[in-house]
Amino acid sequence: MTDAPQACAKCQEYVALREKAKQEGKYDQAGDYEALRRRHPSHAQPSPTARWGLPA
């Protein structure tokens, strides 16, 4: 999975937690962390929907 080139600390935390959960076999939890990362506001170009974590 490709992460944003300039991920913030929160994005990096979600990715690390997702990978740890996957290594432990907790795939439901890994999916939850991926959903949180995707809902995290875009850093490339803020949009009116960014505050809700929706795509631009």
Side-chain angles (χ1 to χ4, degrees):
M1 189 159 295
T2 307
D3 297 317
Q6 296 178 347
C8 73
K10 197 64 172 174
C11 293
Q12 292 173 353
E13 179 185 354
Y14 288 143
V15 169
L17 289 168
R18 180 193 68 203
E19 292 305 315
K20 183 177 182 231
K22 283 170 55 175
Q23 289 175 355
E24 294 173 354
K26 299 177 181 176
Y27 298 106
D28 287 341
Q29 191 176 32
D32 293 342
Y33 286 125
E34 178 60 17
L36 287 169
R37 187 192 65 80
R38 288 184 183 191
R39 289 180 185 155
H40 191 70
S42 172
H43 302 287
Q45 180 178 355
S47 69
T49 59
R51 68 179 179 195
W52 295 292
L54 300 172

